[in-house]
Amino acid sequence: MVSQALSKTGAIFVRDARCALSYPAYFHSQWVAIFVEVTIAYYLSMIVAPSSSFGANGQTGSYFTFLVVSFAFVTFQNNAMLSFAESIREGQTTGTLEAVLATPTSLSLIVLSTGLWSFTLTLGRVVFYFLLALLFGLNLHHMNWLTAGVFLILTIAAVSPIGVLAAAATMVFKKTGPLAFSVNSATSLFGGVYLPLTKLPLALQVVGWMLPITHALNGFRAAVYGASLWDLRIEVAWMVGLTAILMPTSLYLFARTVHRGRHDGSLGQY
Amino acid sequence: MRNVEKAFVVRHGARYAFSGDRRKTVLHDVNLEVRRGELIGLLGPNGVGKTTLLKMMATLTLPDAGTIEVEGIDIKKDPLLARSRIGFCGSDDRSFYFRLTARENLRFFGALAGLQGRRLQRRIEETLDEVSLRDAIDRRFGEFSSGMRQRMTVARALLGDPDVLFFDEPTRAVDPLHADEIRRMIRNDLVENRGKTVVLATNVLEEAWSICDRVAVVSNGTIVAVAPPNELASGHRFASVDATPIELFKAITACG
């Protein structure tokens, strides 16, 4: 049973990897885009003075470090928002979704495994992001690697349900471009990607505090300045709690949308 | 207690209607029993509900009323187990990954069907042999002609070696030579040699007549008659014994 589930997950991973690598120009251009982003972050940071708003635990931090962590980590959220939904959409337009759903494979395995390749690729991109940023002067001397690793895992776990919800929305509405863009942009702004949460009005700070990306960024930024997991226990608890609620909820909603598709005959429509 | 005498049962007047803004009853009062090792054809013109009925049998659409059992398994109660007994060959010949080769595509769908390792590899080669695509095993699916793509859908349905197979117009877009090969494979290899149960949706009268044990005539969303081809042809309801295929098809289309 477990070996069959692993085999199915592996097959979905290999399918996505092969499909992605079959577009070499697109694949390689992603790395060039990261170079451009790091360069933009570097030059933007030159016009903004270091401040305690950009640091953690009361320490002064540079805007460059703030932006690099933001840009790198928000790609996990962007990836979740786009990759799950894109995969479903592609399956609808090519007819592969029906073929996959005709197999004896559980819905949760299908939808969660869909994110595996893109999260792996995103992880590679984040590592590349940090390596390039190091060349531009990013300081990771105080990094608490354990905290950073835990927050990396928590981030992937916490944003995955958002991807599943995006996939569920695609099952129902078919095309969700503007909706996904709005949600992504709003959560980036309220989640403190571009500027510290404290710079936002109080009401928006409350909204931001509810979002997983806010706690992911807070945790990783604090890890850069050496914070331990104990220092960040509230962030950890929030992310674990949010994942525990959102994961089953999103899987349930996805299953309902597929059930609805089977009922109204819209499974293969696009 | 499972009903295992029949490989496939649709009972209690299965009904299906599109919902939402295109509300329309597609199927109603459908009842059908298929014996193990039987090849039954669903014959009817375009738009009478053959594909919807086949998709309903394959768990891809859910009936609003009635029950469907595959090898004694209620497809509503245990769809995953039911799917492990089913091979579905849809009519959409695009339903593969165009950037992947035939081998890579079948490796993916074979894994989802529960196959692993050497058995998966062996089944990929066997099924591609059966549909005469072995030479194209490492060619990208996107390079295939529509006839080759259609044969790939047949190969995919056979991969898991299921007990019950559903074919939705498997010879559509296939040249006469390969169409004949597919019919022979379904009749001789799958049904007679391996004892599989096959439900074949077709609008080609000669196809239904030449290979099916019984033919279920689908008209206006329901099954209006089920009988062996010779009985249907000689039956007064449809046409005279010496009717041409076109006359026979017209008679069938008009009924119900």
Side-chain angles (χ1 to χ4, degrees):
Chain A
M1 203 70 173
V2 174
S3 92
Q4 213 168 67
L6 286 175
S7 160
K8 290 179 181 188
T9 302
I12 293 172
F13 179 84
V14 170
R15 171 203 66 182
D16 292 339
R18 283 190 199 280
C19 286
L21 295 172
S22 73
Y23 295 94
Y26 178 81
F27 183 77
H28 295 308
S29 65
Q30 294 178 76
W31 310 99
V32 177
I34 291 171
F35 178 78
V36 173
E37 270 187 47
V38 174
T39 308
I40 289 171
Y42 177 74
Y43 283 107
L44 270 179
S45 70
M46 290 179 83
I47 56 171
V48 180
S51 150
S52 59
S53 304
F54 303 136
N57 305 327
Q59 298 177 63
T60 300
S62 75
Y63 191 50
F64 182 59
T65 306
F66 179 88
L67 277 184
V68 164
V69 171
S70 293
F71 283 1
F73 257 64
V74 83
T75 53
F76 282 109
Q77 181 182 273
N78 294 346
N79 171 65
M81 287 292 291
L82 295 175
S83 64
F84 290 84
E86 267 177 13
S87 179
I88 295 293
R89 175 81 186 140
E90 199 178 296
Q92 286 169 335
T93 54
T94 59
T96 50
L97 180 65
E98 272 197 342
V100 167
L101 293 177
T103 65
T105 308
S106 73
L107 283 177
S108 49
L109 191 145
I110 290 171
V111 72
L112 288 177
S113 302
T114 294
L116 206 56
W117 158 253
S118 52
F119 276 129
T120 306
L121 179 64
T122 303
L123 190 59
R125 292 175 60 189
V126 166
V127 169
F128 184 64
Y129 212 108
F130 278 97
L131 288 175
L132 272 183
L134 282 172
L135 296 178
F136 279 83
L138 178 71
N139 185 354
L140 295 180
H141 287 122
H142 305 291
M143 171 79 102
N144 184 325
W145 293 100
L146 175 67
T147 306
V150 168
F151 269 89
L152 196 67
I153 294 165
L154 286 176
T155 302
I156 292 172
V159 297
S160 291
I162 298 173
V164 178
L165 288 173
T170 305
M171 285 299 301
V172 178
F173 304 115
K174 313 300 177 190
K175 289 184 91 167
T176 58
L179 179 67
F181 175 79
S182 305
V183 172
N184 216 359
S185 303
T187 51
S188 294
L189 179 63
F190 305 151
V193 171
Y194 306 112
L195 72 171
L197 209 61
T198 51
K199 303 286 182 194
L200 296 173
L202 190 61
L204 293 183
Q205 285 186 40
V206 174
V207 173
W209 203 85
M210 314 278 276
L211 301 171
I213 190 67
T214 307
H215 301 276
L217 290 174
N218 286 349
F220 204 82
R221 278 187 195 123
V224 170
Y225 293 98
S228 69
L229 283 172
W230 180 251
D231 297 333
L232 296 164
R233 58 192 178 278
I234 294 174
E235 312 282 356
V236 171
W238 182 256
M239 289 185 78
V240 169
L242 210 58
T243 306
I245 295 167
L246 280 181
M247 186 63 87
T249 307
S250 64
L251 289 174
Y252 172 76
L253 287 173
F254 181 72
R256 291 304 305 166
T257 58
V258 173
H259 188 79
R260 180 191 140 133
R262 288 189 202 278
H263 252 301
D264 64 16
S266 66
L267 214 54
Q269 288 175 2
Y270 52 92
Chain B
M1 183 69 181
R2 285 176 180 172
N3 175 5
V4 289
E5 287 173 11
K6 306 289 180 190
F8 197 83
V9 181
V10 182
R11 64 169 121 228
H12 305 128
R15 186 170 60 81
Y16 179 77
F18 287 138
S19 54
D21 52 3
R22 49 185 198 127
R23 177 165 284 285
K24 183 194 168 197
T25 299
V26 185
L27 294 167
H28 60 92
D29 302 312
V30 176
N31 294 290
L32 182 68
E33 291 196 350
V34 183
R35 294 185 295 272
R36 278 169 176 274
E38 185 178 27
L39 199 175
I40 189 157
L42 299 177
L43 180 69
N46 296 329
V48 293
K50 297 189 302 297
T51 296
T52 305
L53 178 56
L54 217 58
K55 281 188 175 179
M56 205 164 78
M57 292 168 170
T59 77
L60 287 171
T61 53
L62 291 171
D64 299 323
T67 55
I68 299 177
E69 289 178 10
V70 182
E71 296 283 334
I73 304 156
D74 187 322
I75 65 162
K76 264 188 176 175
K77 287 182 183 156
D78 201 343
L80 281 186
L81 187 60
R83 278 178 216 136
S84 68
R85 309 290 171 88
I86 292 171
F88 179 67
C89 170
S91 58
D92 189 349
D93 60 20
R94 301 167 307 131
S95 59
F96 286 91
Y97 300 95
F98 278 48
R99 309 286 292 188
L100 304 187
T101 64
R103 188 200 299 273
E104 290 164 348
N105 265 294
L106 292 183
R107 193 178 285 151
F108 169 71
F109 284 107
L112 293 195
L115 301 173
Q116 294 176 55
R118 284 186 185 167
R119 185 166 173 240
L120 173 58
Q121 196 52 42
R122 199 186 70 238
R123 286 298 299 152
I124 290 170
E125 289 167 6
E126 284 171 359
T127 52
L128 285 177
D129 263 339
E130 285 175 281
V131 297
S132 308
L133 282 176
R134 182 72 179 271
D135 292 343
I137 191 167
D138 288 316
R139 274 175 62 188
R140 273 189 180 177
F141 182 77
E143 296 168 9
F144 281 15
S145 68
S146 41
M148 292 165 84
R149 289 175 187 178
Q150 189 69 52
R151 284 184 275 149
M152 272 287 283
T153 63
V154 175
R156 177 172 58 197
L158 300 176
L159 261 183
D161 199 21
D163 301 321
V164 181
L165 286 142
F166 300 111
F167 290 99
D168 191 5
E169 301 181 15
T171 56
R172 195 179 68 162
V174 180
D175 64 77
L177 206 66
H178 285 111
D180 190 52
E181 266 182 31
I182 289 175
R183 288 180 196 129
R184 280 171 200 271
M185 179 198 66
I186 292 173
R187 177 75 242 175
N188 301 341
D189 186 39
L190 295 180
V191 178
E192 286 177 10
N193 296 341
R194 289 152 71 181
K196 304 287 182 193
T197 307
V198 174
V199 182
L200 169 83
T202 181
N203 49 24
V204 181
L205 191 77
E206 294 88 334
E207 187 166 89
W209 252 231
S210 62
I211 64 171
C212 294
D213 297 310
R214 286 190 302 155
V215 174
V217 180
V218 186
S219 181
N220 293 326
T222 193
I223 293 174
V224 293
V226 188
N230 56 345
E231 283 181 29
L232 274 182
S234 59
H236 65 277
R237 267 189 85 183
F238 295 113
S240 62
V241 178
D242 55 355
T244 65
I246 294 289
E247 287 169 334
L248 209 52
F249 196 81
K250 273 184 184 169
I252 289 169
T253 308
C255 82

